[in-house]
Amino acid sequence: MKFGVDIGHNCPPDTGASGIRFEDNLTLDVGTRVISKLQALGHQVIPCKPNSAGSVRESLAKRCDKANSNKVDIYVSIHFNSFNGQANGTEVFAGGETSRKIAKPVLDEFVKLGFFNRGVKSGSHLYVLRNTNMPAILVEGCFLDSQKDMNLYNPEAIANAIVQGLTGKLPTTPVNPVPDEEQNADATVLRLQKTLNQLKITDKNGKPLVEDGLAGSATSSAVAKFQKIIGITETGNADQATWNAINVILAKRIIRPNHAGGPVIRYIQYRLGVEVDGVYGPQTEGVVKNFQKQNGLVADGIIGPASWQKLL
Ligand SMILES: [Zn+2]
């Protein structure tokens, strides 16, 4: 089979919803895994997400063109929902009868993961379903502003649900496991020292840490400096809150003006020398754009993979 896999959004100005998490991050995380898994099962995959677009409409049109010109057998668009913080569960939109038959087993797999069954719905109002020539579905995986759904969110399990639903099978060996820094449980002194050096957090004398795996005053002074930056109590001890902040920064999620808050933004503000207040407002945006310009990047104020690479 030839699948057209459309990773939703991730193509400014076509960007996704935000809530507890960002839709762009979730669709990319899940979609990348879906593509690898389908390929591992021997299917051909045409990724449909464009690299750039001048408008949301153009972004959507390019996705459909990709699927149509490659004559894929089935088009699958991956999205996550947001509403009022209370709504939760999975819904799958389908164009016609054939599409509904494809949508149903995908939805059933989500329900097995514990998501509320919102049903297979008519997608006749959706641009990508109207403008693709083959059976097509649009999966709204779950609600990224629902705490219930975000507690259930696991990109590997969701990718498996989509692949199992589409093909009735899963690859027997895990493919391209994507390291998820947020789950990194290695809290050794050596990892702490390496990580603080990577984050460019120096000791009390402004020096990088010696990576010797031994706890000492230099390491604890760097930990205290990091704690101050991210706005937690300066104990000099790398406790759970410290590690959570480290891991969430290393996860390098896409950061947008007016959306992000918390430790990641505080860390970026520290690195770019702007007042650390944890709010991605206009002042920070200006500094981020300058930083991007100086590094030869598109100055869009969105901290994506290229900006992260320059930072870390
Ligand atoms: Zn979406």
PDB file of all heavy atoms in Angstrom, residues 156-174:
ATOM      1  N   GLU A 156       4.314   6.801  21.383  1.00  0.00           N
ATOM      2  CA  GLU A 156       4.587   5.464  20.845  1.00  0.00           C
ATOM      3  C   GLU A 156       3.287   4.659  20.770  1.00  0.00           C
ATOM      4  O   GLU A 156       2.976   4.037  19.752  1.00  0.00           O
ATOM      5  CB  GLU A 156       5.633   4.782  21.741  1.00  0.00           C
ATOM      6  CG  GLU A 156       6.087   3.425  21.270  1.00  0.00           C
ATOM      7  CD  GLU A 156       6.929   3.451  19.996  1.00  0.00           C
ATOM      8  OE1 GLU A 156       7.353   4.550  19.562  1.00  0.00           O
ATOM      9  OE2 GLU A 156       7.148   2.374  19.415  1.00  0.00           O
ATOM     10  N   ALA A 157       2.517   4.688  21.850  1.00  0.00           N
ATOM     11  CA  ALA A 157       1.263   3.929  21.882  1.00  0.00           C
ATOM     12  C   ALA A 157       0.267   4.479  20.848  1.00  0.00           C
ATOM     13  O   ALA A 157      -0.454   3.719  20.196  1.00  0.00           O
ATOM     14  CB  ALA A 157       0.648   3.989  23.291  1.00  0.00           C
ATOM     15  N   ILE A 158       0.246   5.800  20.695  1.00  0.00           N
ATOM     16  CA  ILE A 158      -0.696   6.397  19.744  1.00  0.00           C
ATOM     17  C   ILE A 158      -0.290   6.078  18.305  1.00  0.00           C
ATOM     18  O   ILE A 158      -1.133   5.760  17.459  1.00  0.00           O
ATOM     19  CB  ILE A 158      -0.810   7.919  20.003  1.00  0.00           C
ATOM     20  CG1 ILE A 158      -1.567   8.127  21.319  1.00  0.00           C
ATOM     21  CG2 ILE A 158      -1.504   8.628  18.843  1.00  0.00           C
ATOM     22  CD1 ILE A 158      -1.762   9.568  21.709  1.00  0.00           C
ATOM     23  N   ALA A 159       1.016   6.123  18.030  1.00  0.00           N
ATOM     24  CA  ALA A 159       1.479   5.755  16.690  1.00  0.00           C
ATOM     25  C   ALA A 159       1.115   4.298  16.405  1.00  0.00           C
ATOM     26  O   ALA A 159       0.659   3.959  15.309  1.00  0.00           O
ATOM     27  CB  ALA A 159       2.986   5.975  16.571  1.00  0.00           C
ATOM     28  N   ASN A 160       1.302   3.446  17.403  1.00  0.00           N
ATOM     29  CA  ASN A 160       0.924   2.037  17.231  1.00  0.00           C
ATOM     30  C   ASN A 160      -0.567   1.904  16.950  1.00  0.00           C
ATOM     31  O   ASN A 160      -0.971   1.106  16.110  1.00  0.00           O
ATOM     32  CB  ASN A 160       1.274   1.233  18.488  1.00  0.00           C
ATOM     33  CG  ASN A 160       2.746   0.872  18.544  1.00  0.00           C
ATOM     34  OD1 ASN A 160       3.448   0.935  17.534  1.00  0.00           O
ATOM     35  ND2 ASN A 160       3.224   0.499  19.717  1.00  0.00           N
ATOM     36  N   ALA A 161      -1.371   2.688  17.651  1.00  0.00           N
ATOM     37  CA  ALA A 161      -2.822   2.613  17.448  1.00  0.00           C
ATOM     38  C   ALA A 161      -3.175   2.971  16.006  1.00  0.00           C
ATOM     39  O   ALA A 161      -3.999   2.304  15.375  1.00  0.00           O
ATOM     40  CB  ALA A 161      -3.537   3.548  18.425  1.00  0.00           C
ATOM     41  N   ILE A 162      -2.540   4.012  15.488  1.00  0.00           N
ATOM     42  CA  ILE A 162      -2.853   4.429  14.117  1.00  0.00           C
ATOM     43  C   ILE A 162      -2.418   3.360  13.114  1.00  0.00           C
ATOM     44  O   ILE A 162      -3.179   2.980  12.213  1.00  0.00           O
ATOM     45  CB  ILE A 162      -2.185   5.797  13.803  1.00  0.00           C
ATOM     46  CG1 ILE A 162      -2.802   6.893  14.687  1.00  0.00           C
ATOM     47  CG2 ILE A 162      -2.323   6.151  12.319  1.00  0.00           C
ATOM     48  CD1 ILE A 162      -2.100   8.248  14.619  1.00  0.00           C
ATOM     49  N   VAL A 163      -1.198   2.845  13.303  1.00  0.00           N
ATOM     50  CA  VAL A 163      -0.672   1.847  12.356  1.00  0.00           C
ATOM     51  C   VAL A 163      -1.476   0.545  12.440  1.00  0.00           C
ATOM     52  O   VAL A 163      -1.843  -0.044  11.418  1.00  0.00           O
ATOM     53  CB  VAL A 163       0.836   1.598  12.623  1.00  0.00           C
ATOM     54  CG1 VAL A 163       1.350   0.422  11.813  1.00  0.00           C
ATOM     55  CG2 VAL A 163       1.627   2.867  12.299  1.00  0.00           C
ATOM     56  N   GLN A 164      -1.768   0.131  13.657  1.00  0.00           N
ATOM     57  CA  GLN A 164      -2.567  -1.089  13.847  1.00  0.00           C
ATOM     58  C   GLN A 164      -3.954  -0.916  13.221  1.00  0.00           C
ATOM     59  O   GLN A 164      -4.469  -1.809  12.562  1.00  0.00           O
ATOM     60  CB  GLN A 164      -2.682  -1.379  15.351  1.00  0.00           C
ATOM     61  CG  GLN A 164      -3.555  -2.564  15.718  1.00  0.00           C
ATOM     62  CD  GLN A 164      -2.815  -3.894  15.615  1.00  0.00           C
ATOM     63  OE1 GLN A 164      -1.646  -3.991  15.941  1.00  0.00           O
ATOM     64  NE2 GLN A 164      -3.506  -4.926  15.150  1.00  0.00           N
ATOM     65  N   GLY A 165      -4.536   0.257  13.430  1.00  0.00           N
ATOM     66  CA  GLY A 165      -5.855   0.533  12.882  1.00  0.00           C
ATOM     67  C   GLY A 165      -5.855   0.545  11.363  1.00  0.00           C
ATOM     68  O   GLY A 165      -6.797   0.077  10.725  1.00  0.00           O
ATOM     69  N   LEU A 166      -4.792   1.079  10.773  1.00  0.00           N
ATOM     70  CA  LEU A 166      -4.724   1.186   9.311  1.00  0.00           C
ATOM     71  C   LEU A 166      -4.404  -0.136   8.644  1.00  0.00           C
ATOM     72  O   LEU A 166      -4.908  -0.433   7.557  1.00  0.00           O
ATOM     73  CB  LEU A 166      -3.632   2.198   8.906  1.00  0.00           C
ATOM     74  CG  LEU A 166      -3.914   3.684   9.145  1.00  0.00           C
ATOM     75  CD1 LEU A 166      -2.658   4.495   8.865  1.00  0.00           C
ATOM     76  CD2 LEU A 166      -5.067   4.168   8.267  1.00  0.00           C
ATOM     77  N   THR A 167      -3.539  -0.940   9.272  1.00  0.00           N
ATOM     78  CA  THR A 167      -2.997  -2.112   8.582  1.00  0.00           C
ATOM     79  C   THR A 167      -3.374  -3.420   9.259  1.00  0.00           C
ATOM     80  O   THR A 167      -3.165  -4.482   8.684  1.00  0.00           O
ATOM     81  CB  THR A 167      -1.452  -2.048   8.539  1.00  0.00           C
ATOM     82  OG1 THR A 167      -0.960  -2.166   9.881  1.00  0.00           O
ATOM     83  CG2 THR A 167      -0.963  -0.744   7.941  1.00  0.00           C
ATOM     84  N   GLY A 168      -3.845  -3.334  10.511  1.00  0.00           N
ATOM     85  CA  GLY A 168      -4.111  -4.563  11.260  1.00  0.00           C
ATOM     86  C   GLY A 168      -2.846  -5.202  11.797  1.00  0.00           C
ATOM     87  O   GLY A 168      -2.884  -6.300  12.352  1.00  0.00           O
ATOM     88  N   LYS A 169      -1.713  -4.503  11.640  1.00  0.00           N
ATOM     89  CA  LYS A 169      -0.425  -5.089  12.052  1.00  0.00           C
ATOM     90  C   LYS A 169       0.453  -4.035  12.708  1.00  0.00           C
ATOM     91  O   LYS A 169       0.260  -2.835  12.523  1.00  0.00           O
ATOM     92  CB  LYS A 169       0.342  -5.577  10.825  1.00  0.00           C
ATOM     93  CG  LYS A 169      -0.130  -6.889  10.282  1.00  0.00           C
ATOM     94  CD  LYS A 169       0.913  -7.418   9.304  1.00  0.00           C
ATOM     95  CE  LYS A 169       0.217  -8.276   8.258  1.00  0.00           C
ATOM     96  NZ  LYS A 169       0.465  -7.900   6.918  1.00  0.00           N
ATOM     97  N   LEU A 170       1.492  -4.534  13.404  1.00  0.00           N
ATOM     98  CA  LEU A 170       2.538  -3.652  13.927  1.00  0.00           C
ATOM     99  C   LEU A 170       3.881  -4.246  13.558  1.00  0.00           C
ATOM    100  O   LEU A 170       4.014  -5.464  13.454  1.00  0.00           O
ATOM    101  CB  LEU A 170       2.460  -3.593  15.453  1.00  0.00           C
ATOM    102  CG  LEU A 170       1.369  -2.741  16.070  1.00  0.00           C
ATOM    103  CD1 LEU A 170       1.485  -2.788  17.583  1.00  0.00           C
ATOM    104  CD2 LEU A 170       1.471  -1.301  15.576  1.00  0.00           C
ATOM    105  N   PRO A 171       4.896  -3.406  13.347  1.00  0.00           N
ATOM    106  CA  PRO A 171       6.229  -3.963  13.125  1.00  0.00           C
ATOM    107  C   PRO A 171       6.666  -4.739  14.369  1.00  0.00           C
ATOM    108  O   PRO A 171       6.349  -4.324  15.491  1.00  0.00           O
ATOM    109  CB  PRO A 171       7.120  -2.743  12.891  1.00  0.00           C
ATOM    110  CG  PRO A 171       6.310  -1.544  13.173  1.00  0.00           C
ATOM    111  CD  PRO A 171       4.881  -1.941  13.321  1.00  0.00           C
ATOM    112  N   THR A 172       7.346  -5.851  14.155  1.00  0.00           N
ATOM    113  CA  THR A 172       7.699  -6.696  15.296  1.00  0.00           C
ATOM    114  C   THR A 172       8.861  -6.106  16.096  1.00  0.00           C
ATOM    115  O   THR A 172       8.943  -6.279  17.292  1.00  0.00           O
ATOM    116  CB  THR A 172       8.073  -8.118  14.841  1.00  0.00           C
ATOM    117  OG1 THR A 172       8.945  -7.989  13.713  1.00  0.00           O
ATOM    118  CG2 THR A 172       6.843  -8.898  14.457  1.00  0.00           C
ATOM    119  N   THR A 173       9.762  -5.393  15.424  1.00  0.00           N
ATOM    120  CA  THR A 173      10.853  -4.766  16.173  1.00  0.00           C
ATOM    121  C   THR A 173      10.596  -3.263  16.209  1.00  0.00           C
ATOM    122  O   THR A 173      10.133  -2.686  15.238  1.00  0.00           O
ATOM    123  CB  THR A 173      12.212  -5.028  15.495  1.00  0.00           C
ATOM    124  OG1 THR A 173      12.070  -4.746  14.105  1.00  0.00           O
ATOM    125  CG2 THR A 173      12.656  -6.454  15.692  1.00  0.00           C
ATOM    126  N   PRO A 174      10.899  -2.638  17.343  1.00  0.00           N
ATOM    127  CA  PRO A 174      10.697  -1.194  17.424  1.00  0.00           C
ATOM    128  C   PRO A 174      11.564  -0.481  16.390  1.00  0.00           C
ATOM    129  O   PRO A 174      12.692  -0.909  16.143  1.00  0.00           O
ATOM    130  CB  PRO A 174      11.145  -0.840  18.844  1.00  0.00           C
ATOM    131  CG  PRO A 174      11.672  -2.071  19.468  1.00  0.00           C
ATOM    132  CD  PRO A 174      11.493  -3.220  18.533  1.00  0.00           C
TER     133      PRO A 174
END
